[in-house]
């Protein structure tokens, strides 16, 4: 807390008091990017092959190429530089086998997109030099130079706090502590809630892609079998019934396929969002612990001064720095909350919309099958 | 086949050639009855109690009361009197325990209704004296007298064939044999088809009333839990989200209840109809075997005459009688087919209609839940 903090360059991060408390200052135009078009590339005369993704930021609209290991490099840089103040969620898992399978590539791309979107949305991350380099490097040389520079960057770890300038008076430590405790309880409870959704969702996924469609298929087959038995009756004038029964059977086979396909259309996004949040929530306990330790130190301040372990001036500096940490943490908490509200609002809407469409389509198909029977 | 056949009374059953072959002559007005209003009665100063059902035929519109054992008595009489020619389906099972439970009484009533409806639809059964007695007896005395008379009725077993008068020339035994073989194959195949539907339906029923609603309930709970975690965030202005998420969660709990209730509304009737047909189909092998034996005897006719075991006149009588049996069987086959077409058309329509409504209601509920979220 008392280490010398040198700040090179002009990048200052400001926090101001918003309606909900301390908030980051957000840019007017939200940075965004599209991760797309995965292509197989190779190196060393084809001895090594890899997948390269095209990343296009909305600022330049010029695509740059990146491999997974570049994303991983970016993650490490962000963690070093900003990790003490900002929870940087992990990248999607590394994987050794099946790296070139289409399904895997698609899934990884989707998750890299999710991660990039989240990073773009963060005002501190998105405005950082290394992040900008990643998105807008001009050529191979530019990238290499920037990479070296970023790796040599000494403003890492707790140094981040020296670049943050809260535009408000120091915070009341007791109030801050209460807020932190509340947030700590909240993240734990949310972690449980998110895990519950993931567990239930996984089971539901299994049922929807396993036994349930098999059952609808069997119902469909049973109707069709009975229909073909009826067809063999030799009795006249039951073609309308047998045609309708066959159609009904086929409808249930179609429903079986729909049921099995549906989780990819809705449950998938609900699961992905909750998975992302599971990762994000996992970053908070550390951030909160670091902050708590700072607060404790400040509380001990008077005692430390009395026993001449620190000077009164140092106590003031310490309090100032912890206050900055508190501002940062609260800005992060508020950033988290506003994103959470946005994300869950979006994913719940998507889920319910797709679910409603799904049931409407089934109902429609059943109505069509129903219409084939003779009204009596 | 050569037994003396005395026919008392004037009741003659006619068969004529319809478009589909031999058919019974059907009454202009279809007999029907309603089985309703089960009431607990008692006998012997309350020592014995029983359930009495009200049976109201559409001819008199006057209700009569009957206990299960009366239905059973009727069944036995019909079996004795008509069973050689007409498959009389068994009554719903006897049951010893739980006879006075509401669920059981309701189910038995429904099945007695199904049985009575089927009997009413049969022109031979519905016009028989004993069936009419059952539906239209005037008072206790009338019932007792009729009962005794019916029990003494000697026109039972194969005697029924003597009361049948096909209004057409004798049938070609070879053609009849082919038709019977086809029908025999058909009933076996239909029996398999019906059993398949029953098996699949039973499994589907279990899933719909067991694990599936539990899963929807858990999804609903998970949404509500996350919503109440969100509520504890201390962050301002997320009431719209948490209210909407709670509503979504409750919607899934409602869907859980709907899913669990649905089989009673549609699958139930599909199962009952197929159960009835399973019973009905079980009656045919015997009827067909009796008929086949008759045909074989007639085929041996020339040999029997040659070895003087029967006279030529007797051979003619025998052929005539077997021809009547063939007419009867074919009228029954056609009766079965036309009823089957009617019943399956009806039950499939009901099933699909209810299923469509079910999915429409779910979709509607999901749309309502969806509308509670903020559009962004």
């Amino acid at each position: 807390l008392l280490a010398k903090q040198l700040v090179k360059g002009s990048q200052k991060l400001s926090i101001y008091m918003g309606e909900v408390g301390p908030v980051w200052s957000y840019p007017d135009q939200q940075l965004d990017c599209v991760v797309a078009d995965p292509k197989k590339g190779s190196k060393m005369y084809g001895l090594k092959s890899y997948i390269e993704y095209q990343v296009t930021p909305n600022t330049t609209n010029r695509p740059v190429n990146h491999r997974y290991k570049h994303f991983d490099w970016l993650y490490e840089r962000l963690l070093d530089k900003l990790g003490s103040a900002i929870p940087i969620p992990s990248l999607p898992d590394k994987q050794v086998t099946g790296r070139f399978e289409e399904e895997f590539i698609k899934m990884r791309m989707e998750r890299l997109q999710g991660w990039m979107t989240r990073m773009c949305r963060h005002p501190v991350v998105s405005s950082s030099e290394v992040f900008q380099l990643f998105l807008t490097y001009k050529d191979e040389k530019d990238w290499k130079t920037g990479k070296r520079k970023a790796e040599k960057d000494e403003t890492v770890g707790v140094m981040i706090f020296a670049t943050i300038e809260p535009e408000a008076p120091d915070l009341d430590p007791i109030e801050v502590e209460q807020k932190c405790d509340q947030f700590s309880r909240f993240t734990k409870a949310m972690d449980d809630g998110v895990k519950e959704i993931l567990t239930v969702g996984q089971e539901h996924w299994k049922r929807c892609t396993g036994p349930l469609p098999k059952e609808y298929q069997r119902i469909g087959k049973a109707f069709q079998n009975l229909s073909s038995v009826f067809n063999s009756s030799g009795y006249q004038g039951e073609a309308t019934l047998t045609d309708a029964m066959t159609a009904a059977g086929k409808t249930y086979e179609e429903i079986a396929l729909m049921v099995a396909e549906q989780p990819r259309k809705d449950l998938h996004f609900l699961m992905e969002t909750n998975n992302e949040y599971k990762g994000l929530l996992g970053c908070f306990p550390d951030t909160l612990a670091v902050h708590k330790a700072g607060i404790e130190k400040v509380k001990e301040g008077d005692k430390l001064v009395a026993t001449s372990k620190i000077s009164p001036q140092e106590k003031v500096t310490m309090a100032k720095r912890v206050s900055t940490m508190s501002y940062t943490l609260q800005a992060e908490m508020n950033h988290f909350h506003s994103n959470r509200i946005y994300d869950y609002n979006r994913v719940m809407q998507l889920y319910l919309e797709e679910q409603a469409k799904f049931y409407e389509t089934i109902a429609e198909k059943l109505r069509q099958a129903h219409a084939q029977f003779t009204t009596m």
Side-chain angles (χ1 to χ4, degrees), chain A:
Chain A
L1 283 172
L2 292 168
K4 253 198 177 169
Q5 298 185 333
L6 293 165
V7 185
K8 289 176 195 162
S10 59
Q11 228 183 1
K12 282 276 182 183
L13 305 167
S14 58
I15 292 174
Y16 67 98
M17 287 303 283
E19 270 178 51
V20 293
V23 287
W24 295 111
S25 116
Y26 287 85
D28 292 334
Q29 205 214 339
Q30 163 103 55
L31 180 61
D32 202 0
C33 72
V34 174
V35 182
D37 212 10
K39 276 202 184 77
K40 207 165 175 173
S42 63
K43 254 185 169 179
M44 298 169 71
Y45 310 102
L47 272 174
K48 270 195 167 180
S49 44
Y50 52 83
I51 302 296
E52 212 166 40
Y53 301 90
Q54 218 176 55
V55 186
T56 314
N58 62 346
T59 42
T60 61
N61 238 327
R62 210 175 47 80
V64 293
N65 291 326
H66 281 299
R67 296 170 53 181
Y68 176 83
K69 71 172 208 181
H70 299 167
F71 285 93
D72 197 39
W73 176 85
L74 175 64
Y75 167 70
E76 293 294 343
R77 293 289 78 67
L78 293 174
L79 199 63
D80 279 0
K81 194 169 172 61
L82 310 172
S84 304
I86 297 161
I88 307 291
S90 303
L91 276 185
D93 287 343
K94 278 201 176 116
Q95 189 161 331
V96 183
T97 56
R99 274 190 304 147
F100 299 112
E101 277 164 30
E102 214 177 305
E103 267 302 290
F104 170 74
I105 293 168
K106 211 187 129 203
M107 175 66 102
R108 171 171 274 182
M109 185 177 77
E110 216 182 286
R111 288 181 172 171
L112 289 173
Q113 172 74 70
W115 189 82
M116 283 302 287
T117 301
R118 192 161 299 281
M119 294 299 94
C120 283
R121 270 200 237 157
H122 199 293
V124 177
V125 173
S126 65
S127 65
S128 72
E129 217 176 307
V130 65
F131 197 73
Q132 287 293 331
L133 169 75
F134 186 85
L135 281 181
T136 59
Y137 72 89
K138 287 190 189 65
D139 48 34
E140 229 18 57
K141 205 188 138 216
D142 192 25
W143 169 245
K144 288 264 160 74
T145 317
K147 235 180 126 202
R148 252 186 319 253
K149 193 186 162 201
E151 279 158 8
K152 279 185 198 155
D153 188 354
E154 283 176 358
T155 322
V156 294
V158 288
M159 309 279 273
I160 176 75
F161 292 110
T163 66
I164 296 166
E165 280 187 343
E167 294 171 348
D170 288 4
L171 293 162
D172 173 21
I174 291 174
E175 205 183 304
V176 168
E177 218 181 347
Q178 279 171 353
K179 284 232 164 193
C180 287
D181 285 349
Q182 185 185 27
F183 191 71
S184 172
R185 281 194 303 275
F186 175 82
T187 50
K188 269 179 210 138
M190 182 167 168
D191 195 49
D192 289 343
V194 159
K195 280 176 185 158
E196 188 190 352
I197 289 192
L198 288 172
T199 310
V200 174
Q202 225 150 27
E203 271 178 46
H204 194 50
W205 188 295
K206 270 190 212 154
R207 188 181 308 285
C208 288
T209 54
L212 203 54
K214 257 185 212 143
E215 206 163 281
Y216 283 118
Q217 206 171 26
R218 285 180 63 199
I219 292 170
K221 283 261 178 271
F223 285 158
Q224 287 177 81
N225 286 346
L226 198 57
S227 170
S228 73
V229 171
F230 284 6
N231 240 332
S232 76
S233 72
Y235 191 78
Q236 286 167 33
E238 61 174 311
T240 313
L241 174 66
T242 54
D243 287 352
M245 277 182 74
T246 302
K250 283 191 178 141
T251 300
Y252 275 93
E253 285 191 316
E254 281 168 39
I255 291 174
L257 286 177
M258 282 179 63
V259 167
E261 281 301 313
Q262 192 55 23
R264 286 168 190 273
K265 293 186 191 163
D266 49 28
L267 191 52
H268 174 66
F269 298 104
L270 189 66
M271 299 290 278
E272 285 295 299
T273 300
N274 279 287
N275 243 325
E276 251 194 280
Y277 269 87
K278 195 180 111 184
L280 208 49
L281 289 163
C283 301
F284 277 105
D286 281 354
T287 316
L288 286 162
V290 166
H291 182 262
K292 207 178 178 80
I295 295 267
E296 293 302 323
K297 267 273 176 276
V298 172
K299 276 195 198 160
E300 284 175 39
D302 288 330
K303 223 171 78 187
L304 291 170
V305 172
T307 56
S308 299
K309 292 214 170 121
I310 58 169
S311 70
Q313 181 52 40
E314 279 176 325
K315 194 202 130 190
V316 171
T317 308
M318 202 163 79
K320 178 86 195 151
R321 285 185 181 167
V322 169
S323 171
T324 302
M325 281 176 72
S326 297
Y327 267 107
T328 307
L329 182 57
Q330 286 192 53
E332 267 312 295
M333 278 159 39
N334 290 326
H335 179 75
F336 177 82
H337 284 315
S338 82
N339 273 282
R340 169 179 60 78
I341 292 169
Y342 176 85
D343 287 335
Y344 277 89
N345 199 23
R346 208 172 73 108
V347 78
M348 286 297 295
Q349 277 190 62
L350 188 139
Y351 186 69
L352 293 171
E353 165 80 27
E354 288 299 321
Q355 283 266 295
K357 268 196 225 160
F358 167 66
Y359 289 112
E360 275 157 9
T361 312
I362 292 181
E364 218 170 279
K365 278 180 186 290
L366 290 166
R367 285 262 172 239
Q368 277 165 21
H370 177 264
Q372 293 215 33
F373 287 85
T374 331
T375 34
M376 282 174 300

